Amino acid sequence: MPQSGLHIAFSTLLLRKQLIDPTKLEHLVKLAKKNKLTFIQALIHDNILSANQIFELGHQEYHTPKMNLAEFDLTSIPEQYLNLKLIERHRCLPLFEKNNRLYIATSDPTYFRALEDFQFNLGMHTEAILVEDDKLSDALDKVLEDDLSSLDLSEMDEEALAGVEVAETERKDDNDTDGKDDAPIVIYINKILTDAIRRGASDLHFEPYEKRYRIRFRIDGVLQQISEPPISLASRIAARLKVMSKLDIAERRVPQDGRIKLRVSRKKSTDFRVSTLPTIWGEKIVMRILDSESAQLGIEKLGYEPTQQKMYTDALAQPQGMILVTGPTGSGKTVSLYTGLNILNTEERNISTAEDPVEINLEGVNQVHINTKAGLTFASALRSFLRQDPDIVMVGEIRDLETAEIAIKAAQTGHLVLSTLHTNSAAETLTRLSNMGVAGYNIASSVTLIIAQRLARRLCEHCKQAEDVPLAELQRLGFSEQDIDSNFTVYKPVGCEKCTAGFKGRVGIYEVMKMSAELAKCIMEGGNSLELLEIAKKEGMDTLRSSGLSKVVQGISSINEINRVTSF
């Protein structure tokens, strides 16, 4: 963990040059401590100074030698100086030895304690070399990376796995998963998991069939076949994954759920949620990659239009009410909720969540894992929350009338409630609550904001190409006259070594409906979703379709991709 203490000399310099005021300085100290950042990182995080400004200021004031770390060959660093504990502790990097002195890369020229620590532990005199903080971060990531499997998947083919292929009749007890015959399986599974992380997959599917076995990754929302190991290894692969997930490998008749924590580098671990399902040809195993970093994304990175983002942040700033996020499975609802919780997560607030399951741990938030078999349901957890002096409550999903009524009661009695529903649009969410049995006046008085969302694939910036689309076709697809008059460029995917089929990453498409007097009146009069939608559109709401088309206008996604994820 990088040290997060305040570097007194550098902060004094900033005060003297009036680049920061004492109040902001105090805020930065708290920010650094809370988020485990260095003082330099906190300065950059709050946009007070850029990495380059700090770099130039440090060189001018302290005359510390500087260099462009991006041009330095990291493989030339002598291995005896790569003390990983010191590097992680101080966020500094030894580079080279010259004239019996070891030169240390740092983004803070006043951080003398790091130099002293390296000098004491390595037994050499040390000198600082000033580098830009963002380039230091990139270099540290490369140095600290511990590649668990350097083999390509192509190397782990049937021939490589032949050492563990045995006929069913000759196979030893499947409980013996530690024999040397399974060593290639261990390497193979590790490679599959680490490869999925590197390629940005969200899910992994291990699927047995009568004559073949396939492994697929869901990348940017689309499943792709990655590998096809011999079918005779199906039970071995399943057993290995179940051992890693701490599941009962002898039980193959019922579904099981577990988790895996995989260490992918010296400083990073990744969690997988594992689900097994008995099929007629063996156990199918699906793994969901739980990316904790996605929960730390800033709201500005999720894809909200400026007006939509303001409506969301304004709703989060309210002391009470209900914010509902809707959409199908895999549409990014959890990330939207966690982003909101991160904004709200301060020392002054008591936040409790009920989730099924808890996917990502959030420090400072009281997270409860729902266990229906033990009687811990969303409704019972929510009742308990209300006796725990809450400020903010998050319910993973409103599934029934009981949960809905308790959540609405909480929203009406001075609490901010966040939750999800599985509906196709914001307007349908209101009628869904009504169909559950919630009274119209309760819906109108408690719900403050509804967000319907989808995830669309981003075009690769390296290979996307412009395409000609006739004016009549643009009009048919739903582009506005303003869009067409602006003579924007429509792009299509191509594909290159840096992307998958012309796409890399995903962006959110949102429909944000703010409760208004006209909508409330329509709800209490028993209006249907079509009537509610028309009112919202008249009040300026962008539908999922119009939000998606705006991503085409901005050159972020393609027409075909928006057609795939939004109704047309």
Side-chain angles (χ1 to χ4, degrees), residues 480-495:
S480 67
E481 291 182 6
Q482 182 180 355
D483 292 334
I484 296 172
D485 290 343
S486 65
N487 194 27
F488 69 94
T489 302
V490 176
Y491 291 96
K492 64 180 180 180
V494 177

mmCIF file with all atom_site columns, all heavy atoms in Angstrom, residues 480-495:
data_model
loop_
_atom_site.group_PDB
_atom_site.id
_atom_site.type_symbol
_atom_site.label_atom_id
_atom_site.label_alt_id
_atom_site.label_comp_id
_atom_site.label_asym_id
_atom_site.label_entity_id
_atom_site.label_seq_id
_atom_site.pdbx_PDB_ins_code
_atom_site.Cartn_x
_atom_site.Cartn_y
_atom_site.Cartn_z
_atom_site.occupancy
_atom_site.B_iso_or_equiv
_atom_site.pdbx_formal_charge
_atom_site.auth_seq_id
_atom_site.auth_comp_id
_atom_site.auth_asym_id
_atom_site.auth_atom_id
_atom_site.pdbx_PDB_model_num
ATOM 1   N N   . SER A 1 480 ? -32.635 12.954 -35.170 1.00 0.00 ? 480 SER A N   1
ATOM 2   C CA  . SER A 1 480 ? -33.375 14.208 -35.230 1.00 0.00 ? 480 SER A CA  1
ATOM 3   C C   . SER A 1 480 ? -32.863 15.075 -36.374 1.00 0.00 ? 480 SER A C   1
ATOM 4   O O   . SER A 1 480 ? -31.761 14.867 -36.894 1.00 0.00 ? 480 SER A O   1
ATOM 5   C CB  . SER A 1 480 ? -33.233 14.970 -33.916 1.00 0.00 ? 480 SER A CB  1
ATOM 6   O OG  . SER A 1 480 ? -31.897 15.408 -33.737 1.00 0.00 ? 480 SER A OG  1
ATOM 7   N N   . GLU A 1 481 ? -33.698 16.056 -36.759 1.00 0.00 ? 481 GLU A N   1
ATOM 8   C CA  . GLU A 1 481 ? -33.286 16.983 -37.821 1.00 0.00 ? 481 GLU A CA  1
ATOM 9   C C   . GLU A 1 481 ? -32.024 17.746 -37.419 1.00 0.00 ? 481 GLU A C   1
ATOM 10  O O   . GLU A 1 481 ? -31.164 18.030 -38.249 1.00 0.00 ? 481 GLU A O   1
ATOM 11  C CB  . GLU A 1 481 ? -34.426 17.963 -38.119 1.00 0.00 ? 481 GLU A CB  1
ATOM 12  C CG  . GLU A 1 481 ? -35.641 17.314 -38.776 1.00 0.00 ? 481 GLU A CG  1
ATOM 13  C CD  . GLU A 1 481 ? -36.713 18.341 -39.095 1.00 0.00 ? 481 GLU A CD  1
ATOM 14  O OE1 . GLU A 1 481 ? -36.445 19.546 -38.907 1.00 0.00 ? 481 GLU A OE1 1
ATOM 15  O OE2 . GLU A 1 481 ? -37.804 17.932 -39.532 1.00 0.00 ? 481 GLU A OE2 1
ATOM 16  N N   . GLN A 1 482 ? -31.933 18.073 -36.116 1.00 0.00 ? 482 GLN A N   1
ATOM 17  C CA  . GLN A 1 482 ? -30.751 18.788 -35.623 1.00 0.00 ? 482 GLN A CA  1
ATOM 18  C C   . GLN A 1 482 ? -29.490 17.945 -35.819 1.00 0.00 ? 482 GLN A C   1
ATOM 19  O O   . GLN A 1 482 ? -28.439 18.456 -36.207 1.00 0.00 ? 482 GLN A O   1
ATOM 20  C CB  . GLN A 1 482 ? -30.934 19.144 -34.150 1.00 0.00 ? 482 GLN A CB  1
ATOM 21  C CG  . GLN A 1 482 ? -29.778 19.938 -33.559 1.00 0.00 ? 482 GLN A CG  1
ATOM 22  C CD  . GLN A 1 482 ? -30.015 20.262 -32.099 1.00 0.00 ? 482 GLN A CD  1
ATOM 23  O OE1 . GLN A 1 482 ? -31.065 19.979 -31.540 1.00 0.00 ? 482 GLN A OE1 1
ATOM 24  N NE2 . GLN A 1 482 ? -29.010 20.859 -31.465 1.00 0.00 ? 482 GLN A NE2 1
ATOM 25  N N   . ASP A 1 483 ? -29.599 16.626 -35.533 1.00 0.00 ? 483 ASP A N   1
ATOM 26  C CA  . ASP A 1 483 ? -28.452 15.729 -35.718 1.00 0.00 ? 483 ASP A CA  1
ATOM 27  C C   . ASP A 1 483 ? -28.039 15.671 -37.191 1.00 0.00 ? 483 ASP A C   1
ATOM 28  O O   . ASP A 1 483 ? -26.847 15.768 -37.529 1.00 0.00 ? 483 ASP A O   1
ATOM 29  C CB  . ASP A 1 483 ? -28.788 14.318 -35.231 1.00 0.00 ? 483 ASP A CB  1
ATOM 30  C CG  . ASP A 1 483 ? -28.958 14.246 -33.727 1.00 0.00 ? 483 ASP A CG  1
ATOM 31  O OD1 . ASP A 1 483 ? -28.366 15.086 -33.041 1.00 0.00 ? 483 ASP A OD1 1
ATOM 32  O OD2 . ASP A 1 483 ? -29.693 13.366 -33.251 1.00 0.00 ? 483 ASP A OD2 1
ATOM 33  N N   . ILE A 1 484 ? -29.030 15.517 -38.060 1.00 0.00 ? 484 ILE A N   1
ATOM 34  C CA  . ILE A 1 484 ? -28.745 15.370 -39.489 1.00 0.00 ? 484 ILE A CA  1
ATOM 35  C C   . ILE A 1 484 ? -28.178 16.668 -40.058 1.00 0.00 ? 484 ILE A C   1
ATOM 36  O O   . ILE A 1 484 ? -27.241 16.657 -40.868 1.00 0.00 ? 484 ILE A O   1
ATOM 37  C CB  . ILE A 1 484 ? -30.025 14.951 -40.242 1.00 0.00 ? 484 ILE A CB  1
ATOM 38  C CG1 . ILE A 1 484 ? -30.478 13.554 -39.749 1.00 0.00 ? 484 ILE A CG1 1
ATOM 39  C CG2 . ILE A 1 484 ? -29.780 14.925 -41.748 1.00 0.00 ? 484 ILE A CG2 1
ATOM 40  C CD1 . ILE A 1 484 ? -31.822 13.120 -40.277 1.00 0.00 ? 484 ILE A CD1 1
ATOM 41  N N   . ASP A 1 485 ? -28.707 17.791 -39.606 1.00 0.00 ? 485 ASP A N   1
ATOM 42  C CA  . ASP A 1 485 ? -28.226 19.082 -40.099 1.00 0.00 ? 485 ASP A CA  1
ATOM 43  C C   . ASP A 1 485 ? -26.780 19.345 -39.690 1.00 0.00 ? 485 ASP A C   1
ATOM 44  O O   . ASP A 1 485 ? -26.061 20.094 -40.354 1.00 0.00 ? 485 ASP A O   1
ATOM 45  C CB  . ASP A 1 485 ? -29.115 20.221 -39.568 1.00 0.00 ? 485 ASP A CB  1
ATOM 46  C CG  . ASP A 1 485 ? -30.494 20.199 -40.221 1.00 0.00 ? 485 ASP A CG  1
ATOM 47  O OD1 . ASP A 1 485 ? -30.628 19.536 -41.270 1.00 0.00 ? 485 ASP A OD1 1
ATOM 48  O OD2 . ASP A 1 485 ? -31.417 20.820 -39.667 1.00 0.00 ? 485 ASP A OD2 1
ATOM 49  N N   . SER A 1 486 ? -26.362 18.734 -38.555 1.00 0.00 ? 486 SER A N   1
ATOM 50  C CA  . SER A 1 486 ? -24.997 18.975 -38.073 1.00 0.00 ? 486 SER A CA  1
ATOM 51  C C   . SER A 1 486 ? -23.952 18.229 -38.902 1.00 0.00 ? 486 SER A C   1
ATOM 52  O O   . SER A 1 486 ? -22.758 18.374 -38.684 1.00 0.00 ? 486 SER A O   1
ATOM 53  C CB  . SER A 1 486 ? -24.871 18.569 -36.600 1.00 0.00 ? 486 SER A CB  1
ATOM 54  O OG  . SER A 1 486 ? -25.056 17.157 -36.462 1.00 0.00 ? 486 SER A OG  1
ATOM 55  N N   . ASN A 1 487 ? -24.446 17.401 -39.851 1.00 0.00 ? 487 ASN A N   1
ATOM 56  C CA  . ASN A 1 487 ? -23.552 16.687 -40.761 1.00 0.00 ? 487 ASN A CA  1
ATOM 57  C C   . ASN A 1 487 ? -22.526 15.847 -39.999 1.00 0.00 ? 487 ASN A C   1
ATOM 58  O O   . ASN A 1 487 ? -21.327 15.885 -40.261 1.00 0.00 ? 487 ASN A O   1
ATOM 59  C CB  . ASN A 1 487 ? -22.829 17.673 -41.685 1.00 0.00 ? 487 ASN A CB  1
ATOM 60  C CG  . ASN A 1 487 ? -22.166 16.956 -42.868 1.00 0.00 ? 487 ASN A CG  1
ATOM 61  O OD1 . ASN A 1 487 ? -22.613 15.884 -43.279 1.00 0.00 ? 487 ASN A OD1 1
ATOM 62  N ND2 . ASN A 1 487 ? -21.108 17.550 -43.398 1.00 0.00 ? 487 ASN A ND2 1
ATOM 63  N N   . PHE A 1 488 ? -23.007 15.077 -39.030 1.00 0.00 ? 488 PHE A N   1
ATOM 64  C CA  . PHE A 1 488 ? -22.114 14.250 -38.227 1.00 0.00 ? 488 PHE A CA  1
ATOM 65  C C   . PHE A 1 488 ? -21.630 13.042 -39.021 1.00 0.00 ? 488 PHE A C   1
ATOM 66  O O   . PHE A 1 488 ? -22.179 12.704 -40.069 1.00 0.00 ? 488 PHE A O   1
ATOM 67  C CB  . PHE A 1 488 ? -22.820 13.793 -36.941 1.00 0.00 ? 488 PHE A CB  1
ATOM 68  C CG  . PHE A 1 488 ? -23.936 12.805 -37.173 1.00 0.00 ? 488 PHE A CG  1
ATOM 69  C CD1 . PHE A 1 488 ? -23.704 11.443 -37.094 1.00 0.00 ? 488 PHE A CD1 1
ATOM 70  C CD2 . PHE A 1 488 ? -25.227 13.238 -37.465 1.00 0.00 ? 488 PHE A CD2 1
ATOM 71  C CE1 . PHE A 1 488 ? -24.712 10.524 -37.290 1.00 0.00 ? 488 PHE A CE1 1
ATOM 72  C CE2 . PHE A 1 488 ? -26.245 12.337 -37.666 1.00 0.00 ? 488 PHE A CE2 1
ATOM 73  C CZ  . PHE A 1 488 ? -25.999 10.977 -37.580 1.00 0.00 ? 488 PHE A CZ  1
ATOM 74  N N   . THR A 1 489 ? -20.596 12.382 -38.484 1.00 0.00 ? 489 THR A N   1
ATOM 75  C CA  . THR A 1 489 ? -20.022 11.208 -39.146 1.00 0.00 ? 489 THR A CA  1
ATOM 76  C C   . THR A 1 489 ? -20.476 9.936  -38.443 1.00 0.00 ? 489 THR A C   1
ATOM 77  O O   . THR A 1 489 ? -20.400 9.829  -37.220 1.00 0.00 ? 489 THR A O   1
ATOM 78  C CB  . THR A 1 489 ? -18.481 11.269 -39.120 1.00 0.00 ? 489 THR A CB  1
ATOM 79  O OG1 . THR A 1 489 ? -18.058 12.482 -39.757 1.00 0.00 ? 489 THR A OG1 1
ATOM 80  C CG2 . THR A 1 489 ? -17.877 10.080 -39.835 1.00 0.00 ? 489 THR A CG2 1
ATOM 81  N N   . VAL A 1 490 ? -20.980 8.997  -39.231 1.00 0.00 ? 490 VAL A N   1
ATOM 82  C CA  . VAL A 1 490 ? -21.366 7.683  -38.700 1.00 0.00 ? 490 VAL A CA  1
ATOM 83  C C   . VAL A 1 490 ? -20.181 6.741  -38.873 1.00 0.00 ? 490 VAL A C   1
ATOM 84  O O   . VAL A 1 490 ? -19.585 6.668  -39.952 1.00 0.00 ? 490 VAL A O   1
ATOM 85  C CB  . VAL A 1 490 ? -22.596 7.130  -39.443 1.00 0.00 ? 490 VAL A CB  1
ATOM 86  C CG1 . VAL A 1 490 ? -22.929 5.715  -38.946 1.00 0.00 ? 490 VAL A CG1 1
ATOM 87  C CG2 . VAL A 1 490 ? -23.785 8.054  -39.260 1.00 0.00 ? 490 VAL A CG2 1
ATOM 88  N N   . TYR A 1 491 ? -19.833 6.028  -37.781 1.00 0.00 ? 491 TYR A N   1
ATOM 89  C CA  . TYR A 1 491 ? -18.696 5.110  -37.836 1.00 0.00 ? 491 TYR A CA  1
ATOM 90  C C   . TYR A 1 491 ? -19.166 3.662  -37.735 1.00 0.00 ? 491 TYR A C   1
ATOM 91  O O   . TYR A 1 491 ? -20.229 3.370  -37.163 1.00 0.00 ? 491 TYR A O   1
ATOM 92  C CB  . TYR A 1 491 ? -17.726 5.404  -36.691 1.00 0.00 ? 491 TYR A CB  1
ATOM 93  C CG  . TYR A 1 491 ? -17.005 6.727  -36.828 1.00 0.00 ? 491 TYR A CG  1
ATOM 94  C CD1 . TYR A 1 491 ? -17.476 7.867  -36.194 1.00 0.00 ? 491 TYR A CD1 1
ATOM 95  C CD2 . TYR A 1 491 ? -15.845 6.831  -37.592 1.00 0.00 ? 491 TYR A CD2 1
ATOM 96  C CE1 . TYR A 1 491 ? -16.828 9.086  -36.317 1.00 0.00 ? 491 TYR A CE1 1
ATOM 97  C CE2 . TYR A 1 491 ? -15.173 8.037  -37.728 1.00 0.00 ? 491 TYR A CE2 1
ATOM 98  C CZ  . TYR A 1 491 ? -15.674 9.161  -37.084 1.00 0.00 ? 491 TYR A CZ  1
ATOM 99  O OH  . TYR A 1 491 ? -15.022 10.354 -37.216 1.00 0.00 ? 491 TYR A OH  1
ATOM 100 N N   . LYS A 1 492 ? -18.363 2.772  -38.283 1.00 0.00 ? 492 LYS A N   1
ATOM 101 C CA  . LYS A 1 492 ? -18.647 1.339  -38.209 1.00 0.00 ? 492 LYS A CA  1
ATOM 102 C C   . LYS A 1 492 ? -17.422 0.610  -37.663 1.00 0.00 ? 492 LYS A C   1
ATOM 103 O O   . LYS A 1 492 ? -16.293 1.102  -37.772 1.00 0.00 ? 492 LYS A O   1
ATOM 104 C CB  . LYS A 1 492 ? -19.004 0.785  -39.584 1.00 0.00 ? 492 LYS A CB  1
ATOM 105 C CG  . LYS A 1 492 ? -17.874 0.874  -40.601 1.00 0.00 ? 492 LYS A CG  1
ATOM 106 C CD  . LYS A 1 492 ? -18.300 0.306  -41.940 1.00 0.00 ? 492 LYS A CD  1
ATOM 107 C CE  . LYS A 1 492 ? -17.147 0.403  -42.978 1.00 0.00 ? 492 LYS A CE  1
ATOM 108 N NZ  . LYS A 1 492 ? -17.547 -0.139 -44.290 1.00 0.00 ? 492 LYS A NZ  1
ATOM 109 N N   . PRO A 1 493 ? -17.627 -0.586 -37.068 1.00 0.00 ? 493 PRO A N   1
ATOM 110 C CA  . PRO A 1 493 ? -16.492 -1.360 -36.530 1.00 0.00 ? 493 PRO A CA  1
ATOM 111 C C   . PRO A 1 493 ? -15.712 -2.024 -37.661 1.00 0.00 ? 493 PRO A C   1
ATOM 112 O O   . PRO A 1 493 ? -16.268 -2.365 -38.700 1.00 0.00 ? 493 PRO A O   1
ATOM 113 C CB  . PRO A 1 493 ? -17.177 -2.402 -35.640 1.00 0.00 ? 493 PRO A CB  1
ATOM 114 C CG  . PRO A 1 493 ? -18.528 -2.582 -36.258 1.00 0.00 ? 493 PRO A CG  1
ATOM 115 C CD  . PRO A 1 493 ? -18.924 -1.238 -36.808 1.00 0.00 ? 493 PRO A CD  1
ATOM 116 N N   . VAL A 1 494 ? -14.395 -2.201 -37.436 1.00 0.00 ? 494 VAL A N   1
ATOM 117 C CA  . VAL A 1 494 ? -13.543 -2.874 -38.419 1.00 0.00 ? 494 VAL A CA  1
ATOM 118 C C   . VAL A 1 494 ? -12.863 -4.081 -37.779 1.00 0.00 ? 494 VAL A C   1
ATOM 119 O O   . VAL A 1 494 ? -13.044 -5.216 -38.201 1.00 0.00 ? 494 VAL A O   1
ATOM 120 C CB  . VAL A 1 494 ? -12.488 -1.905 -38.998 1.00 0.00 ? 494 VAL A CB  1
ATOM 121 C CG1 . VAL A 1 494 ? -11.569 -2.655 -39.969 1.00 0.00 ? 494 VAL A CG1 1
ATOM 122 C CG2 . VAL A 1 494 ? -13.171 -0.745 -39.723 1.00 0.00 ? 494 VAL A CG2 1
ATOM 123 N N   . GLY A 1 495 ? -12.071 -3.818 -36.727 1.00 0.00 ? 495 GLY A N   1
ATOM 124 C CA  . GLY A 1 495 ? -11.346 -4.881 -36.047 1.00 0.00 ? 495 GLY A CA  1
ATOM 125 C C   . GLY A 1 495 ? -9.847  -4.754 -36.223 1.00 0.00 ? 495 GLY A C   1
ATOM 126 O O   . GLY A 1 495 ? -9.365  -4.522 -37.332 1.00 0.00 ? 495 GLY A O   1
#
